[in-house]
């Protein structure tokens, strides 16, 4: 069992001159820009950051424990969103459950029922894919990059599957227009956004408790630290791997549903497009570090939204990408120093 | 379809397969020889195509376009009055230089780090390039697309026979690139790349500067992809950001290399013709097989199946050893 000290070390800041300079410059720039930044965009940025965080935490856990970049993670999100669509459009209406505009929200309570189903389906699917595909490659002891290559094939196949079942066009959950809340400082926030934030807070807290308070969480952290040592200490690495997939894919499915709610549409390419902000957040936080991924997600989300004040909004992924490149130049191990970056 | 129709269709097919062959060769330098994971081929594809097209296409008529201002037509600027046919080569060269420079920049940042960072960076550059050409309408007419890209040697031959001529051009370029890549793979340089792919630490311990070799290989592959993009631009003669979607500009090229045999240049070309043959052939089949979504799905399944069942692809990697090591036990 790992001592808590290890945990604090991993999230503790290791200050270096380069980082200090970068932080000072960034803080000065942010402070200088602050009077010009619309607070509404910052709020939107935290909402976008919440969705990024749910995806990025999964990627970083898989990275830490299975040691490869899961390129299919975006398509797990897509899968989650579409499974929920199947529930609210096909399955639940058959048993008489339908509706939209629950309270202040645009969507109805069927989406709330569909969410856990989507999480379960995608989590089980991810475990099954691991059993038939990734496990064989691990047994063959292939290079980590071959696993990433395999996840590219999985990503393509998953998206193809989504397009076969639901066609390639735009769809959306049954929705009703709703008033946005007007807050001081010209901030307008949609009730759906508050829902997204609340779901994220609950899930992040759950992941935190799981990682720090349960045996499985400790086993996961031990495996991430040193897989061989974990194995010889009697940790069941196979079940750690299954749990990692379940948590990562479950969070991804939730992120997919929330993304579909916040964009008010579903597209088969939505998850693949989301990979850039996801990996930017993972890189910023340091690979393998879930708390870093959380912070990275908010930085990416807020920067991307605030950039729309000056840039065409469709450049948001490019902004995330640019931040990632700068981070790789200044401090490749991420803000908090993740696992190995070489 | 009559006989002439079949022959003409085959020529068009072979041109595209040949161009994909160029990309598969480039990807083989990245993945097959060095183990560099590039999932943003579309970025280099688009950069190469747009560079070559913008240098040779007529300046847009201000009466017809509001936003679209740029326009190469450098071939008629006067300072290098070579005509389009010689400017084609300048376009090809510029496409490869632009891709090489971008590869240098991304590679410099990411190749010191874990392999996965390169993948993410190439994905980012592909999306950034696409967004650039989509939003900056003044450069290449945004989503409406850049058209009237001139034909290379178009005045020499009647339009209905043009495809045969361009097929020869593509095959000559493909053959030249194949010879160059094959030569490089057999050289000591190529052996270092394979050593890096197999065991980076061992290569480093043997005194090889792994970062430099990886960077060189990444730039070389990107240059080949730029040439492929330029060939594509003068074949299709219409470019829009939609042309470079991940499926037809990245994923299918991965399938080609994996099927043909990664690490084998002949395999890369074989895979290009085979997969493009299956891809374009299945559209004539009845039922589900011609459904584009089904074919999309099968591209993914194909990659997964090859890695699981036959990681070497059809041809597999040839054993390449130094001549001096002939007969010696390796």
């Amino acid at each position: 069992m790992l001592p808590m000290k290890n945990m604090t070390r991993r999230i503790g800041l290791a200050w270096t001159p380069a980082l200090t300079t970068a932080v000072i410059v960034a803080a000065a720039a942010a402070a200088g820009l602050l009077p010009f930044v619309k607070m509404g965009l910052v709020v939107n940025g935290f909402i976008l950051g919440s969705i990024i965080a749910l995806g990025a935490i999964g990627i970083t856990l898989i990275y830490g424990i299975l040691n490869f970049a899961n390129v299919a993670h975006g398509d797990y999100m897509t899968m989650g969103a579409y499974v929920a669509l199947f529930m609210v459009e096909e399955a639940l209406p058959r048993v008489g459950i339908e509706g939209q505009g629950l309270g202040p929200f645009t969507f109805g309570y069927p989406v709330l029922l569909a969410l856990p189903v989507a999480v379960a389906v995608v989590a089980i699917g991810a475990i099954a894919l691991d059993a038939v595909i990734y496990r064989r490659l691990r047994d063959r002891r292939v290079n980590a990059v071959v696993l990433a290559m395999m996840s590219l094939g999985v990503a393509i196949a998953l998206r193809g599957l989504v397009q076969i079942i639901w066609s390639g066009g735009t769809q959306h959950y049954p929705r009703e227009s709703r008033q946005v809340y007007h807050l001081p400082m010209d901030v307008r926030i949609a009730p759906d956004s508050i829902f997204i934030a609340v779901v994220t807070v609950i899930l992040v807290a759950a992941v935190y408790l799981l990682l720090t308070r349960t045996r499985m969480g400790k086993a996961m952290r031990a495996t991430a630290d040193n897989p061989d040592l974990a194995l010889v200490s009697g940790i069941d690495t196979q079940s750690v791997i299954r749990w990692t997939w379940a948590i990562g894919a479950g969070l991804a499915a939730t992120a997919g549903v929330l993304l579909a709610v916040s964009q008010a549409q579903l597209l088969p390419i939505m998850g693949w497009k989301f990979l850039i902000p996801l990996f930017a957040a993972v890189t910023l936080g340091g690979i393998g570090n879930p708390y870093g991924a959380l912070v990275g997600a908010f930085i990416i989300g807020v920067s991307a939204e605030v950039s729309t004040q000056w840039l065409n909004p469709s450049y948001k992924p490019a902004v995330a990408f640019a931040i990632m490149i700068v981070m790789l130049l200044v401090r490749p191990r991420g803000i908090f120093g993740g696992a190995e970056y070489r | 379809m009559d006989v002439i129709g079949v022959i003409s269709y085959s020529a068009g097919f072979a041109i595209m397969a040949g161009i994909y062959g160029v990309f598969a060769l480039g990807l083989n330098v990245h993945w097959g020889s060095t183990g560099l994971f590039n999932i943003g081929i579309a970025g280099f594809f688009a950069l190469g195509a747009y560079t070559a097209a913008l240098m040779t296409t007529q300046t847009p008529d201000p009466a017809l376009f509001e936003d679209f201002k740029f326009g190469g037509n450098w071939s008629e600027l006067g300072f290098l009055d070579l005509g389009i046919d010689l400017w084609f080569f300048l376009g090809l060269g510029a496409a490869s230089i632009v891709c090489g420079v971008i590869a240098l920049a991304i590679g410099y940042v990411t190749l010191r780090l874990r392999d996965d960072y390169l993948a993410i960076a190439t994905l980012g550059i592909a999306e950034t390039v696409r967004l650039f050409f989509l939003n900056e309408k003044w450069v290449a007419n945004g989503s409406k697309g850049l058209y009237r890209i001139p034909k290379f040697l178009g005045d020499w031959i009647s339009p209905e026979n043009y495809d045969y001529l361009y097929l020869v051009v593509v095959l000559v370029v493909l053959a030249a690139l194949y010879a160059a890549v094959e030569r490089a793979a057999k050289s000591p340089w190529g052996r270092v790349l394979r050593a890096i792919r197999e065991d980076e630490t061992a290569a480093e311990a043997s005194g090889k500067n792994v970062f430099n070799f990886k960077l060189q290989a990444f730039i070389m592959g990107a240059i080949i992809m730029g040439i492929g993009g330029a060939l594509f631009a003068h074949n299709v003669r219409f470019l829009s950001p939609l042309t470079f979607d991940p499926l037809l500009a990245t994923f299918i090229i991965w399938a080609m290399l994996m099927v043909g045999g990664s690490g084998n240049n002949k395999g890369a070309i074989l895979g290009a013709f085979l997969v493009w043959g299956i891809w374009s052939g299945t559209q004539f089949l009845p039922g589900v097989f011609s459904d584009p979504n089904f074919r999309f799905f099968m591209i993914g399944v194909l990659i997964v199946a090859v890695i699981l069942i036959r990681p070497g692809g059809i041809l597999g990697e040839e054993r390449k050893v130094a001549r001096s090591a002939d007969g010696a036990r390796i």
Side-chain angles (χ1 to χ4, degrees):
Chain A
M1 224 172 269
L2 276 174
M4 279 300 291
K5 201 173 66 186
N6 189 37
M7 202 65 176
T8 44
R9 181 178 61 78
R10 289 196 72 181
I11 61 169
L13 281 168
W15 290 101
T16 63
L19 178 68
T20 316
T21 321
V23 167
I24 291 170
V25 170
L33 284 175
L34 205 58
F36 306 104
V37 170
K38 297 193 184 107
M39 273 321 282
L41 291 176
V42 176
V43 173
N44 287 349
F46 275 99
I47 303 304
L48 177 64
S50 303
I51 303 174
I52 298 175
L54 292 180
I57 290 172
I59 289 185
T60 214
L61 285 176
I62 293 167
Y63 227 138
I65 287 162
L66 291 141
N67 200 27
F68 78 99
N70 181 25
V71 175
H73 211 75
D75 293 277
Y76 287 4
M77 282 175 62
T78 312
M79 230 14 176
Y82 275 89
V83 169
L85 179 74
F86 169 79
M87 291 304 293
V88 296
E89 290 221 311
E90 305 284 336
L92 291 174
R94 300 235 170 133
V95 291
I97 300 174
E98 44 195 325
Q100 60 239 31
L102 170 73
F105 305 123
T106 61
F107 53 86
Y109 72 99
V111 170
L112 298 181
L113 296 178
L115 181 59
V117 178
V119 167
V121 168
V122 177
I124 292 168
I127 294 172
L129 279 174
D130 185 74
V132 276
I133 294 176
Y134 296 108
R135 187 174 180 173
R136 292 197 200 184
L137 291 183
R138 280 199 301 278
D139 290 347
R140 243 188 250 163
R141 294 213 155 255
V142 297
N143 203 321
V145 76
V146 176
L147 290 166
M149 172 75 231
M150 181 57 104
S151 70
L152 175 67
V154 170
I156 301 169
L158 282 181
R159 175 127 70 92
L161 203 59
V162 167
Q163 292 181 4
I164 292 173
I165 303 175
W166 289 280
S167 92
T170 315
Q171 311 204 41
H172 56 82
Y173 301 137
R175 66 195 303 276
E176 235 164 61
S177 303
R178 281 286 184 259
Q179 291 282 316
V180 296
Y181 297 135
H182 289 262
L183 300 179
M185 294 183 76
D186 204 24
V187 173
R188 269 166 292 177
I189 185 162
D192 288 3
S193 301
I194 294 171
F195 173 75
I196 291 168
V198 169
V199 171
T200 305
V201 168
I202 294 172
L203 287 178
V204 167
V207 170
Y208 176 78
L209 291 177
L210 184 126
L211 284 179
T212 51
R213 303 289 154 82
T214 65
R215 280 188 74 84
M216 181 45 70
K218 284 168 183 164
M220 283 172 71
R221 279 158 45 213
T223 311
D225 255 14
N226 189 335
D228 295 328
L229 191 59
L231 194 62
V232 296
S233 329
I235 289 175
D236 178 3
T237 25
Q238 287 309 325
S239 95
V240 165
I241 287 171
R242 277 194 298 273
W243 273 97
T244 307
W245 278 114
I247 296 166
L251 291 174
T254 315
V257 174
L258 296 182
L259 183 64
V261 167
S262 96
Q263 295 178 335
Q265 64 171 14
L266 291 92
L267 266 176
I269 203 172
M270 62 193 261
W272 178 262
K273 284 261 163 92
F274 217 64
L275 274 185
I276 296 167
L278 289 183
F279 276 105
V282 170
T283 308
L284 237 63
I287 283 181
N289 183 339
Y291 314 104
L294 183 66
V295 175
F298 287 124
I299 294 176
I300 295 292
V302 171
S303 320
E305 284 294 337
V306 168
S307 77
T308 61
Q309 199 168 336
W310 298 281
L311 285 176
N312 188 321
S314 69
Y315 275 127
K316 277 192 242 175
V319 170
F321 175 59
I323 295 173
M324 187 187 89
I325 290 291
V326 171
M327 193 65 194
L328 289 179
L329 276 171
V330 181
R331 194 177 154 86
R333 64 177 70 229
I335 306 171
F336 302 118
E340 45 171 349
Y341 63 100
R342 292 200 54 162
Chain B
M1 253 194 300
D2 55 7
V3 180
I4 305 286
V6 171
I7 294 177
S8 143
Y9 178 82
S10 313
F13 163 80
I15 291 174
M16 269 319 289
I19 293 171
Y20 273 124
V22 171
F23 281 104
L25 279 181
L27 185 61
N28 194 29
V29 174
H30 285 168
W31 174 257
S33 336
T34 327
L36 303 176
F37 188 33
N38 174 357
I39 50 175
I41 304 168
F44 297 108
F45 197 153
L47 272 175
Y50 270 112
T51 306
L54 285 172
M55 283 180 70
T56 50
T57 309
Q58 298 233 330
T59 313
D61 185 346
L64 291 175
F65 299 101
E66 251 177 60
D67 330 313
F68 179 26
K69 305 267 187 271
F70 192 81
N73 198 22
W74 297 6
S75 57
E76 285 170 26
L77 278 184
F79 67 88
L80 254 181
D81 199 2
L82 302 170
I84 159 68
D85 295 337
L86 286 174
W87 267 87
F88 171 80
F89 293 102
L90 291 183
L92 224 59
S96 56
I97 291 169
V98 168
C99 287
V101 169
I102 294 289
L104 171 68
I106 312 176
Y108 183 79
V109 179
T110 57
L111 285 172
R112 285 179 214 277
L113 313 173
R114 282 179 51 132
D115 300 328
D116 319 281
Y117 283 111
L118 178 75
I120 301 152
T122 52
L123 185 67
I125 207 77
E127 183 66 3
T128 307
V129 167
R130 199 185 66 83
L131 290 174
F132 175 79
F133 284 113
L134 190 63
N135 290 319
E136 306 303 321
K137 296 191 178 64
W138 57 275
V139 180
N141 209 17
S143 58
K144 286 188 221 111
L146 186 68
Y147 44 91
R148 289 217 205 126
I149 300 165
K151 292 174 176 171
F152 170 53
L153 298 177
D155 303 331
W156 282 31
I157 198 161
S158 60
E160 65 270 22
N161 291 328
Y162 178 72
D163 270 5
Y164 305 115
L165 177 71
Y166 200 70
L167 176 60
V168 174
V169 174
V170 168
L171 292 181
V172 167
V173 174
L174 181 64
L177 287 174
Y178 170 77
V181 168
E182 191 69 1
R183 179 79 186 74
K186 286 197 170 115
S187 70
W189 183 78
R191 286 198 297 276
V192 175
L193 295 188
R194 284 192 297 283
I196 291 172
R197 184 194 64 191
E198 293 305 322
D199 191 337
E200 223 176 287
T201 322
E204 191 105 50
S206 316
K208 306 298 177 194
N209 186 332
V210 168
F211 171 70
N212 273 351
F213 276 97
K214 278 184 169 179
L215 191 58
Q216 288 160 10
F218 187 57
I219 294 173
M220 180 169 158
I223 284 174
I224 296 173
M225 290 172 182
I227 294 174
L231 287 176
F232 177 84
H234 289 281
N235 175 45
V236 177
R237 302 184 19 246
F238 169 80
L239 298 178
S240 94
L242 290 177
T243 315
F244 305 102
D245 78 327
L247 173 66
L248 284 176
T250 299
F251 299 161
I252 202 168
I253 299 168
W254 270 105
M256 288 164 175
L257 181 65
M258 299 307 290
V259 167
S262 62
N264 186 321
N265 293 315
K266 284 191 201 76
I269 296 174
L270 172 73
F273 277 81
L274 205 62
V275 171
W276 186 242
I278 298 171
W279 179 265
S280 19
T282 43
Q283 62 183 317
F284 301 116
L285 291 178
V288 67
F289 297 105
S290 56
D291 177 8
N293 296 326
F294 176 76
R295 297 191 290 162
F296 192 127
F297 172 68
M298 287 314 290
I299 291 284
V301 171
L302 198 60
I303 293 177
V304 171
V306 168
I307 305 178
L308 276 185
I309 299 162
R310 201 180 157 91
I314 295 176
L315 288 184
E317 190 174 5
E318 291 169 358
R319 222 170 80 105
K320 288 196 178 76
V321 290
R323 258 168 306 178
S324 54
D326 266 355
R329 283 173 59 91
I330 307 292

